[in-house]
Amino acid sequence: MRAAIVRSITRISTLVEWMTILLTGALVVLVSANVVARYLLQVGLIWAEELSRLAFVWVVFFGAFVALRKRSHLAITFVTDHLPPRGRSAVRVGVILLTLAFLGVVVWGGTRLVLQTVRFGRVTPMLGISAAWGYLGVPVAAFLMFLEVLRVLLQGEDLVPDGDTTLPAPGRVADQARTE
């Protein structure tokens, strides 16, 4: 069962990465076309501006998921680096549980916002589509991040990668400064 969950999450992750790449490409094309139209042709493509705004929201939140998946978010590990292994393990589990709780709240709140927007019937001015499409990226990406953190928990991994080998270890900065 656990292996099937992990495989499913991995497939979804790959799909989201490709969607993020395609959306980013579409965003570049839309914004570029709008700039060319506005400054060379003296005509703004208002629909392109609105569509690029919607695409940008999805790219940002999907990008946050991809960054989580690749462990690219900023992590400050000074305190945990100095803990004994047992303490590190306790902090790891605590961080994962707090992250799951936070993402659960974001999914819940984002879903409520989307449903409320649909209920009020709010539409975008130029495209005439539901404004909920712009908000939907928040709960969808938060749910994907929730699944990824759950996968990390099930596989016994860590949300924070091991120390960056390009930087000196803690305490060595002063030693290096004295020897130079």
Side-chain angles (χ1 to χ4, degrees), residues 11-30:
R11 286 185 189 130
I12 291 169
S13 299
T14 302
L15 177 66
V16 171
E17 283 188 43
W18 279 105
M19 288 173 58
T20 305
I21 291 167
L22 292 173
L23 275 174
T24 302
L27 188 59
V28 168
V29 170
L30 279 169

Side-chain angles (χ1 to χ4, degrees), residues 89-107:
S89 182
V91 168
R92 175 195 164 274
V93 171
V95 164
I96 288 174
L97 293 176
L98 284 172
T99 303
L100 286 171
F102 172 75
L103 291 170
V105 169
V106 173
V107 169

Side-chain angles (χ1 to χ4, degrees), residues 22-102:
L22 292 173
L23 275 174
T24 302
L27 188 59
V28 168
V29 170
L30 279 169
V31 171
S32 299
N34 199 17
V35 167
V36 168
R38 180 169 289 153
Y39 292 105
L40 293 181
L41 306 175
Q42 303 297 318
V43 176
L45 304 174
I46 298 172
W47 62 269
E49 185 177 322
E50 197 169 277
L51 190 58
S52 63
R53 198 174 313 127
L54 289 172
F56 183 72
V57 170
W58 283 87
V59 166
V60 166
F61 285 100
F62 274 0
F65 166 73
V66 171
L68 174 69
R69 178 100 171 121
K70 295 181 181 281
R71 307 296 183 269
S72 298
H73 285 289
L74 178 66
I76 300 172
T77 61
F78 179 76
V79 173
T80 56
D81 288 344
H82 289 86
L83 290 176
R86 246 182 153 162
R88 245 182 263 145
S89 182
V91 168
R92 175 195 164 274
V93 171
V95 164
I96 288 174
L97 293 176
L98 284 172
T99 303
L100 286 171
F102 172 75

Side-chain angles (χ1 to χ4, degrees), residues 65 68-69 71 144-152:
F65 166 73
L68 174 69
R69 178 100 171 121
R71 307 296 183 269
L144 291 170
M145 286 186 244
F146 186 92
L147 290 177
E148 173 60 19
V149 173
L150 189 61
R151 185 195 66 75
V152 164

Side-chain angles (χ1 to χ4, degrees), residues 2-3 6 10 69 92 150-158:
R2 183 188 297 186
V6 169
T10 302
R69 178 100 171 121
R92 175 195 164 274
L150 189 61
R151 185 195 66 75
V152 164
L153 182 64
L154 290 174
Q155 291 199 294
E157 294 176 12
D158 203 349

